[in-house]
Structure formats: structure tokens, C-alpha cells
């Protein structure tokens, strides 16, 4: 299937695997790339050295293109972009809008850019800055999300920009891919669906919690990092929702300190990251501390396999998924479903 996205990224299928912290590493990304999709490394939870090692490991497993997600407000964002340029990584994606300088540096170095957006005006803004594509996530998506569902947000953005648009939030099969293409998107991006594959590094105990969830099994909370965050509904999250300000601040400070050690950041670097996170947002310092400590909560669940003490980002599609195929099996299935769907539509016409 050829779309503007496959032409831009050089992948066989218009299916993107999003950058999920502690999930989208060398194993998952290379498996997606080998299957013809486009995998994106989650580098926000990696040191610069770990990112470089991950890129080299992916290159040893596949010759197909892949991308890296970069936090635009990271203290070493410039160094990470330099690394992507040196390693000739195809795409830099951004969960937070990058500034013009980062976009320009990527363009000059031959790296494509694709920020994630949750509103039409954000898409128009970054398109005017010269990005190559935008990823549009509707409210159904996991992690940081907005209130507008994909079916309303996607057509708004498609009509507003003239660059490839990737649809995210609520996609897990070939029917969704066809629907996104019908809206005018050039492909789909999926996080939870790729997390729930045999190539995902997440432990079976945690995966089973996702598989057991129904479509009401997620909740959008601001108690994780101060911003709307869709996660699995667990006793730990319910406890966060009930906790008071003082206990939340103490817990956030403890997690921020743990993340500083984990990421190898100095105290000045952590404070600069905090100031950058607050820029342009109405976050209190308590919420900023929460944001700094979020990777620790993700690691506790995703890496250490202790969901009772951590956070599990999840899209609402978790309630629609009941198996753990390999990435190759999943992508082949989605493309067959899309092809079958095209056949039905042709018959209708």
C-alpha cells in the first residue's frame, strides 16, 4: 500500500509504532521495521549513551528505516539531534512541539521531523515551521492526550495542512487503517497495540492486565504528572486520585530524585528540565516534580513488573485487544484486513 507516508519514510506499510517509554527499544523497533512498518525509539527514558547504543543495535538487526522520539525540552536535546544526524536516522518525532531551531537543524542534517499534535492550531503552527509530517492523537490515545476524539480532530487537521498526517488514538486493526485513510490521513500510529505483541519487552504479568481491561478500563488523570494522562485504571491510580496535595508533593519529590539518579542528571540539569517543562504551561512546581518523576513510575510497572506501584499508559483500544501476536503477524493481519475492506468497498461502489 503506497501513501504519502510510505513515500516519505521509506517503509512498506503506512503503520507507525509510537515511542513508548521503556517499551519502544531496540527489540520492538527493529521487529516493526523488519515487518515493513515504521518503528520509533522512545529516547526520553534513555541517557544519550544508551540511545546511541540502541540505534547501533537496531542497525545490526535491520536495514530498514526507523525513527527516534526526542523530548524537545530535554537538557541535551541538541546533542540528541546531532546523534540522529550522525547516525542517519530517518525521522525525529516529538511529543512536545520542537522549536524552530531543532526543526531547522534536523532539516539541514537530513533528518525528517514529525511532532505530535492534539489541536488544529498546533498542526498549523508546526507545519508553518517546516516539519515534514504531523502525528494527530485523539482523546482515545494512551499517555498524554486531549479531550477531542480522533474522528473529530483528524479531519480538522487534514483540512488545515498540506503535509502527511498520521492518525493516532483508537487504532488497532485494518478497519481503523482504512477509516483513517478515508479521512485523508496517510497512515496510522499505534502504541498500545504494539505494546501487546510478543516482541514487546513488557512482562507477561503486566501485559495480562492490559488484556483483561475492557473499554472502560482506562482513566484520564492529571495526578501522574500534572497533565491529562490516559492510563490503566488500577488501585494505585485510584489512590493517586484520592491523595491530598501534601502527600502528592512528597511522593513527586521522591520520584524526581530517583529519576535524577536513573537518568544521570545533575541537580542543575534537573532544574533546567523542570523550568523547560513549565514553559508555556500553567504547571505548579508540584506538578513539575510529578512530571520529572513520571519515568520512575513507568519503569516500576513496565521494566520491574510491579504494576501495583507504577503507572501504565494505555489507549482505550486495550479493551479491544485479546492476543499477543508478533509484530510481523500483526502488521500482516492489519494489511490483509485493510485489503479485504477495500474489496468490500469496491463491491459497494
Amino acid at each position: 500500500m503506497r501513501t504519502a507516508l510510505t513515500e516519505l519514510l521509506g517503509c512498506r506499510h503506512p503503520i507507525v509504532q509510537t515511542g513508548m517509554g521503556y517499551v519502544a527499544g531496540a527489540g520492538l523497533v527493529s521487529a516493526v521495521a523488519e515487518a515493513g512498518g515504521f518503528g520509533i525509539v522512545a529516547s526520553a527514558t534513555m541517557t544519550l549513551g544508551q540511545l546511541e547504543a540502541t540505534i547501533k543495535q537496531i542497525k545490526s538487526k535491520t536495514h530498514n528505516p526507523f525513527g527516534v522520539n526526542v523530548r524537545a525540552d530535554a537538557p541535551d536535546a541538541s546533542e540528541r539531534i546531532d546523534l540522529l544526524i550522525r547516525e542517519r536516522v530517518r525521522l525525529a518525532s516529538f511529543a512536545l512541539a520542537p522549536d524552530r531551531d531543532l526543526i531547522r537543524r534536523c532539516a539541514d542534517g537530513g533528518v525528517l521531523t514529525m511532532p505530535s499534535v492534539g489541536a488544529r492550531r498546533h498542526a498549523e503552527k508546526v507545519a508553518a515551521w517546516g516539519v515534514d509530517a504531523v502525528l494527530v492523537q485523539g482523546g482515545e490515545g494512551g499517555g498524554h492526550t486531549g479531550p477531542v476524539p480522533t474522528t473529530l480532530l483528524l479531519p480538522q487537521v487534514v483540512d488545515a495542512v498540506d503535509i502527511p498526517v498520521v492518525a493516532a488514538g483508537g487504532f488497532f486493526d485494518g478497519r481503523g487503517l482504512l477509516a483513517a485513510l478515508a479521512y485523508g490521513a496517510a497512515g496510522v500510529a499505534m502504541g498500545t497495540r504494539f505494546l501487546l505483541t510478543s516482541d514487546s519487552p513488557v512482562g507477561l504479568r503486566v501485559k495480562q492486565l492490559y488484556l483483561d481491561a475492557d473499554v472502560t478500563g482506562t482513566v484520564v488523570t492529571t495526578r501522574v504528572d500534572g497533565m491529562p494522562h490516559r492510563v490503566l485504571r488500577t488501585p494505585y491510580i485510584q489512590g493517586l486520585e484520592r491523595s491530598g496535595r501534601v502527600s502528592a508533593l512528597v511522593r513527586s519529590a521522591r520520584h524526581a530524585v530517583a529519576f535524577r539518579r536513573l537518568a544521570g542528571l545533575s541537580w542543575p540539569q534537573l532544574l533546567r528540565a523542570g523550568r523547560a517543562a513549565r514553559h508555556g504551561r500553567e504547571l505548579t512546581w508540584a506538578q513539575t516534580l510529578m512530571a520529572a518523576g513520571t519515568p520512575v513510575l513507568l519503569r516500576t510497572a513496565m521494566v520491574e513488573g510491579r504494576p501495583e506501584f507504577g503507572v501504565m499508559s494505555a489507549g482505550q483500544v486495550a479493551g479491544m485487544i485479546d492476543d499477543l501476536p508478533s509484530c510481523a503477524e500483526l502488521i500482516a493481519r492489519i494489511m490483509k484486513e485493510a485489503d479485504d475492506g477495500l474489496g468490500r468497498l469496491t463491491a459497494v461502489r
Side-chain angles (χ1 to χ4, degrees):
M1 183 178 289
R2 293 179 60 186
T3 72
L5 183 68
T6 61
E7 294 294 300
L8 178 69
L9 301 182
C11 51
R12 294 199 306 275
H13 308 303
I15 300 172
V16 175
Q17 162 254 305
T18 59
M20 298 165 281
Y22 297 114
V23 178
L28 182 61
V29 171
S30 59
V32 171
E34 273 294 279
F38 192 86
I40 297 178
V41 176
S43 79
T45 53
M46 300 177 181
T47 65
L48 184 60
Q50 289 170 336
L51 175 57
E52 183 172 8
T54 297
I55 291 173
K56 293 184 182 302
Q57 189 176 356
I58 294 171
K59 286 184 171 182
S60 72
K61 293 174 177 288
T62 182
H63 296 295
N64 292 334
F66 61 94
V68 172
N69 182 261
V70 178
R71 276 193 67 109
D73 60 351
D76 60 353
S78 295
E79 289 85 349
R80 290 173 185 252
I81 295 301
D82 289 341
L83 172 62
L84 268 56
I85 293 172
R86 287 198 308 273
E87 293 294 333
R88 302 179 66 83
V89 172
R90 181 64 60 93
L91 173 81
S93 72
F94 300 91
L96 301 175
D99 58 34
R100 294 191 183 194
D101 180 60
L102 284 181
I103 295 172
R104 184 165 52 249
R105 289 180 62 186
C106 286
D108 292 343
V111 176
L112 301 171
T113 51
M114 182 177 70
S116 298
V117 298
R120 172 177 177 164
R121 66 182 185 280
H122 298 156
E124 292 172 331
K125 180 178 181 179
V126 293
W129 287 358
V131 301
D132 298 285
V134 289
L135 187 151
V136 178
Q137 177 172 303
E140 303 93 323
H144 295 125
T145 192
V148 183
T150 305
T151 52
L152 300 180
L153 179 61
L154 179 58
Q156 286 183 359
V157 175
V158 167
D159 290 344
V161 300
D162 59 0
I163 54 178
V165 175
V166 182
F171 298 101
F172 64 99
D173 64 2
R175 295 171 298 180
L177 173 57
L178 280 184
L181 296 176
Y183 272 113
V188 296
M190 305 184 300
T192 304
R193 177 64 273 197
F194 278 114
L195 185 154
L196 294 174
T197 61
S198 60
D199 295 303
S200 163
V202 176
L204 284 176
R205 181 186 176 209
V206 175
K207 287 179 180 176
Q208 192 60 51
L209 290 176
Y210 280 89
L211 294 174
D212 290 342
D214 59 25
V215 291
T216 64
T218 65
V219 61
V220 177
T221 178
T222 59
R223 288 304 185 97
V224 174
D225 57 9
M227 294 174 283
H229 195 144
R230 186 178 292 282
V231 297
L232 279 187
R233 191 192 306 273
T234 64
Y236 181 81
I237 293 298
Q238 291 172 329
L240 284 182
E241 291 282 277
R242 292 192 299 265
S243 64
R245 289 186 179 182
V246 174
S247 61
L249 180 58
V250 172
R251 182 174 52 249
S252 300
R254 187 171 64 248
H255 292 151
V257 170
F259 176 61
R260 184 189 74 83
R261 291 195 300 265
L262 190 66
L265 297 176
S266 67
W267 282 110
Q269 287 176 320
L270 184 65
L271 290 174
R272 284 198 297 271
R275 283 195 296 268
R278 295 183 77 212
H279 181 68
R281 301 179 219 165
E282 295 181 359
L283 296 182
T284 66
W285 275 108
Q287 290 172 321
T288 302
L289 280 174
M290 292 164 67
T294 299
V296 174
L297 295 176
L298 291 170
R299 179 184 174 85
T300 299
M302 298 302 183
V303 179
E304 299 174 11
R306 296 189 296 156
E308 62 271 23
F309 301 112
V311 169
M312 294 169 286
S313 299
Q316 287 183 300
V317 295
M320 303 293 292
I321 298 171
D322 58 8
D323 63 349
L324 300 171
S326 68
C327 289
E329 291 168 340
L330 174 63
I331 291 177
R333 178 201 302 172
I334 289 175
M335 296 312 299
K336 183 180 186 307
E337 290 169 347
D339 188 59
D340 291 345
L342 282 174
R344 290 193 299 272
L345 291 175
T346 300
V348 170
R349 185 179 183 184

